[in-house]
Amino acid sequence: MGQIKDILRTMEYGPAPESNTDVQAWLDANNQGFGHFINGKFTSIEGRDLIAVMNPANGSPLGKVVHGTTTDVDAAVKAARAAFGKWSVLPGHERAKYLYAIARHIQKRERFFSVLETMDNGKPIRETRDIDIPLVARHFYHHAGWAEMVETEFEGYSPVGVCGQVIPWNFPLLMLAWKVAPALAAGNTVVLKPAELTPLTAIAFAEICHEVGLPAGVVNIVHGDGTTGAAICGHKDVDKVAFTGSTEVGRIIREQIAGSEKKLSLELGGKSPFIVFEDADIDGAIEGVVDAIWFNQGEVCCAGSRILVQEGVAERFYNKLRKRMETLRVGDPLDKTMDIGALVSPGQLKRVTSLVEKGKTEGGTLWQAPVKLPAKGNFFAPAFFTDVDPASTVCEVEIFGPVATTTTFRTPDEAIALANNTKYGLAASIWSENINLALDMAARVKAGVVWINSTNLLDAGAGFGGYRESGFGREGGREGLYEYLTADWEKRLPLAKAEQSLKLSAAPDGDAKVAQGGSIDRTAKNYIGGKQARPDGGYSYSVLGKGGQIIGHAGIGNRKDIRNAVEAATKAGGWGSATAHNRAQVLYYLGENLDARRAEFEALLVESTGVSAKAASEEFDTALRRIFYYAAQADKYDGAVHATKSRHVTLAMNEPFGIVGIVCPDENPLLSFVSLVLPAISMGNRVVVVPSARHPLLATNLYQVLDTSDVPGGVINIITGESDVLAKTLAEHDEVDAIWYIGSKEGSAMVERASCGNLKTTWVSNGRQRDWLGGKAQGKEYLRRAVQVKNIWVPYGE
């Protein structure tokens, strides 16, 4: 150890080791290995296959855990199901007491958990001590409050049931808290699989569950690899799946559970933009980069890995960034002076190294900190690329290491084009002293979380989650609790009567009866971009009315018709940025013009479906009221300002998905069409709608109403034809952002499976029958399904 006077001259850091005596003693006491935590007890390890757990910083063994089998998963799910009955009906206050106790016990052992997490994961002790573990406690405190209020704040909603949860290795205990706390607050029980690389803090958490007296079976923890996770997700008695991890695995899970009626939330990969304008506080932005990409060794799904810098300050920014990078310290994560620890595994180190070499091969210039790395462990020096093309591998692929790319831009429009040039949409960071510019960029960037003049801020009170291939669903805040609840009305829907699917034929039917012979022929076209368009295939089919009579013809739409409709919807993007007041006025006008043609539509309902004049009048009246309801909601379904711990105004903004595909049922063809289309467009979405195949003329007769109601071309596009064929095309289309399907159970499974390409949000009926005339066919659940929540963190104060 040097003299104080010498240290003051050089300002060199001395060693500041964190003691791991207590953690090592705990590990030594369990050196034979850890079993699963099932039904309130740890299972035996006798005769079981074990997975070795290694210290990323030095390669030494830490412990062993049992490799879970399908038998273990069955036992855990059985325990969770048995516990669900009592736990779900426990008064919210009683559940809150358990969550509060968990939070308190985590706080009492913060140091233990911090050290254990650092040894297990490789991240610096400063991060686990100051960020991870305090946030874990915060999540349980916050959700203790939701448990207290869930019965009144979420009236009409109930817990989902048994939740299967699979978490990653980058924030082991924090990801557990994100999943377990809201599940328990809502009244669910849990079967959770930690990452096989980092299971140790989950084991210590299980001991806390036992310590606070949490009822047996409420939390169950099963260890293992991807096969164990797949067994949990696919288990027939799991009602909800929550997964955080790679987009590739998220896609596999979506396909695996398609048609199972399991609720699903996915928090997946990211390639987040970090946008720096010329008027930004450059020194502040440099520190932001440190937090954005070199925090947690860059093993962060929302890491600001794509740095976009305005051209006028780019060279100055890069010079400062190089100098700042040179001061970062890489080494033993238990040393409190270290900035960057070890990557989680040799495999991850190999992946990062390989991608960096690919970036250099493709012409990028690598700037890397000149640090001496420890001889042992999975260490990688912080770095960033310049001279990279936006289409290069390192700009497109999630590296998941301490490596960023840099690109310049000239205008805000160019910055947005570069920022959104990714399949992901998890987070973004915007740096500017012009608050108008910053908020405008925040609104335009496609990301679920946006930080202004800050980065990587997380809190239990604000939702976290992405757009596009970064997944769907939110964790944290009010919006996160919805993921663990289900609407009572939807859960109680009866199965629809089995009905033979309608196979459309373009061939003439010489034996069919023709209604109103001698009248002018009626052939409906598609409606695309505000204009009527013949179906691309040139085929039409006979539309039968009451008594099986032909009452007209409709086009048989195909893949190209869907493509054209999506293109038209894309061009109508201004609808989403229009004020809610203006959208409301258009919808009121739509109702006004539809009412003027009441007699025509009531007569067509009778002619098409065979209902009585009274029933037709009731359906029309209900459709009209529904239009006015969603017109009223257009400027009233508000977001919120979340109460987060830091000095930020955290805005939870309801944003439209973009383009929503809607497949309507045969029942109440006018009313069901209105009930599905109106909530979507009132929130600013554009829609491509497949109306009832049996009764399409109710939808096609709306064309003239839309034309005279100031609905911009492309906002509503209507393609007639075979429902499931067109539904599959919509589900597969990468530019369709969400899809609603009301139809058979088989069709629902097909839609969920076909949506895996871009992981679009789906809402399917699973063959259940809705009462379109009833009150539950409209309401805030439809509006909630029509938006995704963007959380914008705006700092305030000095």
Side-chain angles (χ1 to χ4, degrees):
M1 178 74 72
Q3 297 292 315
I4 292 177
K5 61 184 179 65
D6 296 326
I7 294 173
L8 288 173
R9 288 194 190 98
T10 62
M11 296 303 289
E12 291 179 353
Y13 287 97
E18 173 72 42
S19 172
N20 66 349
T21 303
D22 290 338
V23 171
Q24 193 59 56
W26 180 75
L27 292 171
D28 291 342
N30 295 280
N31 62 356
Q32 296 302 309
F34 295 95
H36 309 303
F37 184 69
I38 297 175
N39 205 28
K41 299 178 181 178
F42 285 96
T43 63
S44 171
I45 63 171
E46 190 71 31
R48 299 300 304 272
D49 290 336
L50 300 176
I51 300 172
V53 182
M54 312 301 288
N55 187 329
N58 55 31
S60 63
L62 294 174
K64 292 171 283 190
V65 295
V66 170
H67 190 298
T69 64
T70 54
T71 301
D72 297 320
V73 172
D74 286 342
V77 174
K78 182 179 179 181
R81 178 60 64 193
F84 175 69
K86 291 183 179 179
W87 180 255
S88 61
V89 299
L90 206 62
H93 176 65
E94 296 302 314
R95 290 200 302 271
K97 288 194 291 187
Y98 285 110
L99 289 164
Y100 176 77
I102 291 172
R104 292 288 285 170
H105 280 246
I106 287 170
Q107 280 188 321
K108 293 172 188 176
R109 292 170 174 77
E110 273 192 352
R111 211 67 167 191
F112 179 90
F113 276 107
S114 299
V115 173
L116 181 59
E117 195 79 303
T118 288
M119 293 176 67
D120 199 17
N121 170 271
K123 64 176 66 183
I125 186 66
R126 290 192 312 166
E127 293 179 7
T128 57
R129 179 196 66 198
D130 299 340
I131 300 172
D132 289 32
I133 307 308
L135 262 178
V136 170
R138 161 72 172 149
H139 270 268
F140 281 100
Y141 275 126
H142 179 78
H143 286 93
W146 278 127
E148 195 78 45
M149 304 186 304
V150 67
E151 293 150 358
T152 54
E153 291 293 310
F154 294 87
E155 190 175 358
Y157 288 82
S158 300
V160 179
V162 175
C163 299
Q165 303 177 328
V166 180
I167 60 174
W169 44 257
N170 56 337
F171 292 90
L173 191 60
L174 183 56
M175 292 295 101
L176 178 150
W178 280 22
K179 298 283 191 291
V180 172
L184 267 54
N188 304 283
T189 54
V190 165
V191 177
L192 178 134
K193 189 196 85 67
E196 65 268 30
L197 294 172
T198 56
L200 298 181
T201 46
I203 294 165
F205 174 80
E207 292 183 337
I208 279 186
C209 290
H210 177 76
E211 192 174 58
V212 303
L214 189 72
V218 171
V219 169
N220 305 273
I221 296 175
V222 180
H223 303 288
D225 58 14
T227 59
T228 311
I232 292 172
C233 295
H235 198 284
K236 65 181 186 303
D237 206 22
V238 165
D239 304 298
K240 151 81 181 178
V241 174
F243 172 77
T244 296
S246 71
T247 296
E248 291 73 23
V249 175
R251 193 173 280 117
I252 291 169
I253 292 172
R254 167 74 286 178
E255 186 168 3
Q256 177 195 18
I257 68 172
S260 66
E261 298 193 46
K262 298 181 195 295
K263 198 167 185 178
L264 176 64
S265 56
L266 298 172
E267 195 266 282
L268 308 175
K271 195 70 176 174
S272 301
F274 185 101
I275 307 169
V276 183
F277 285 94
E278 290 175 342
D279 66 348
D281 174 358
I282 298 300
D283 291 329
I286 293 294
E287 292 306 308
V289 171
V290 174
D291 291 337
I293 187 60
W294 296 321
F295 165 64
N296 199 39
Q297 302 77 248
E299 296 172 321
V300 184
C301 52
C302 55
S305 54
R306 290 186 298 136
I307 303 171
L308 311 177
V309 187
Q310 199 158 18
E311 205 170 73
V313 295
E315 284 308 312
R316 182 157 66 99
F317 187 88
Y318 297 159
N319 289 335
K320 282 179 173 285
L321 189 56
R322 281 190 285 266
K323 290 180 180 178
R324 180 65 178 93
M325 184 174 64
E326 291 170 1
T327 67
L328 296 174
R329 302 188 47 147
V330 183
D332 179 7
L334 280 176
D335 186 332
K336 292 188 282 287
T337 69
M338 291 301 162
D339 299 298
I340 297 176
L343 297 177
V344 74
S345 69
Q348 185 63 16
L349 177 60
K350 182 179 179 181
R351 169 185 164 80
V352 172
T353 303
S354 174
L355 285 169
V356 167
E357 290 303 313
K358 185 75 176 291
K360 291 158 66 175
T361 301
E362 292 180 352
T365 301
L366 182 71
W367 304 91
Q368 194 161 22
V371 298
K372 184 179 180 181
L373 299 178
K376 291 183 178 180
N378 312 315
F379 293 93
F380 193 91
F384 70 93
F385 276 101
T386 57
D387 308 315
V388 288
D389 188 281
S392 65
T393 301
V394 289
C395 282
E396 290 191 334
V397 174
E398 187 178 26
I399 298 173
F400 225 61
V403 184
T405 64
T406 61
T407 309
T408 61
F409 66 89
R410 292 182 178 179
T411 66
D413 286 345
E414 186 181 0
I416 282 294
L418 289 168
N420 291 338
N421 182 34
T422 175
K423 63 183 180 180
Y424 299 111
L426 188 54
S429 184
I430 299 165
W431 294 77
S432 171
E433 292 299 290
N434 183 337
I435 190 63
N436 292 334
L437 173 63
L439 289 173
D440 180 56
M441 296 293 288
R444 295 168 66 190
V445 70
K446 292 184 182 298
V449 183
V450 182
W451 298 291
I452 293 176
N453 293 330
S454 53
T455 192
N456 273 341
L457 296 173
L458 306 168
D459 187 72
F464 182 88
Y467 292 3
R468 302 193 289 193
E469 291 187 36
S470 288
F472 46 79
R474 294 292 181 265
E475 296 185 289
R478 179 182 292 268
E479 55 267 39
L481 204 61
Y482 274 113
E483 302 299 328
Y484 291 93
L485 296 164
T486 185
D488 293 337
W489 68 265
E490 196 169 6
K491 186 161 54 175
R492 295 169 184 156
L493 291 175
L495 288 171
K497 293 180 181 178
E499 189 173 7
Q500 187 174 0
S501 59
L502 184 63
K503 297 295 182 183
L504 305 183
S505 172
D509 188 352
D511 296 328
K513 299 177 181 178
V514 179
Q516 298 176 349
S519 62
I520 297 176
D521 183 72
R522 178 166 57 186
T523 301
K525 301 176 183 177
N526 292 324
Y527 187 70
I528 299 174
K531 298 178 181 178
Q532 297 187 45
R534 296 185 185 279
D536 172 74
Y539 292 109
S540 296
Y541 70 99
S542 300
V543 178
L544 304 182
K546 63 179 181 179
Q549 295 181 324
I550 296 176
I551 60 173
H553 295 84
I556 301 178
N558 62 17
R559 180 175 295 271
K560 189 174 180 181
D561 294 313
I562 294 291
R563 186 198 71 183
N564 293 341
V566 172
E567 287 180 358
T570 302
K571 293 175 183 177
W575 178 251
S577 57
T579 68
H581 169 75
N582 285 345
R583 288 200 302 270
Q585 298 308 298
V586 171
L587 300 187
Y588 280 126
Y589 196 25
L590 175 64
E592 176 186 335
N593 286 330
L594 179 62
D595 189 42
R597 299 175 64 173
R598 172 186 293 269
E600 170 196 336
F601 277 90
E602 289 184 0
L604 184 55
L605 277 167
V606 172
E607 182 184 27
S608 184
T609 66
V611 298
S612 67
K614 181 180 178 181
S617 179
E618 182 183 7
E619 179 170 346
F620 185 89
D621 284 339
T622 307
L624 197 61
R625 287 197 303 273
R626 209 147 281 172
I627 292 173
F628 272 67
Y629 173 82
Y630 288 115
Q633 286 283 10
D635 60 356
K636 297 175 186 65
Y637 188 68
D638 295 328
V641 178
H642 285 319
T644 48
K645 285 178 64 180
S646 56
R647 289 172 62 85
H648 285 79
V649 176
T650 308
L651 305 171
M653 307 289 290
N654 292 328
E655 287 198 342
F657 282 98
I659 299 174
V660 178
I662 297 177
V663 182
C664 300
D666 290 327
E667 301 84 27
N668 301 107
L670 175 63
L671 178 57
S672 60
F673 181 98
V674 167
S675 299
L676 294 168
V677 170
L678 264 293
I681 65 172
S682 71
M683 293 294 100
N685 297 287
R686 295 91 71 198
V687 296
V688 178
V689 192
V690 179
S692 161
R694 283 187 166 83
H695 313 294
L697 301 184
L698 274 306
T700 61
N701 272 30
L702 284 171
Y703 297 169
Q704 292 177 348
V705 179
L706 298 174
D707 288 341
T708 57
S709 301
D710 295 338
V711 178
V715 171
I716 298 176
N717 305 274
I718 302 173
I719 308 296
T720 59
E722 198 164 319
S723 296
D724 283 2
V725 172
L726 297 175
K728 186 172 188 293
T729 302
L730 280 169
E732 291 173 340
H733 201 298
D734 283 346
E735 297 304 313
V736 174
D737 303 293
I739 184 167
W740 296 357
Y741 171 90
I742 308 298
S744 67
K745 185 172 179 59
E746 296 75 20
S748 297
M750 175 271 295
V751 165
E752 290 181 334
R753 195 172 296 112
S755 73
C756 291
N758 70 344
L759 286 170
K760 59 174 63 67
T761 300
T762 62
W763 188 21
V764 300
S765 66
N766 290 301
R768 298 189 179 276
Q769 176 69 56
R770 297 188 188 184
D771 176 10
W772 295 104
L773 289 161
K776 297 304 181 182
Q778 76 171 36
K780 290 189 177 180
E781 181 67 10
Y782 288 78
L783 295 166
R784 190 178 72 81
R785 298 280 193 164
V787 297
Q788 48 195 344
V789 180
K790 173 186 284 184
N791 278 272
I792 304 174
W793 294 65
V794 185
Y796 66 89
E798 293 297 325

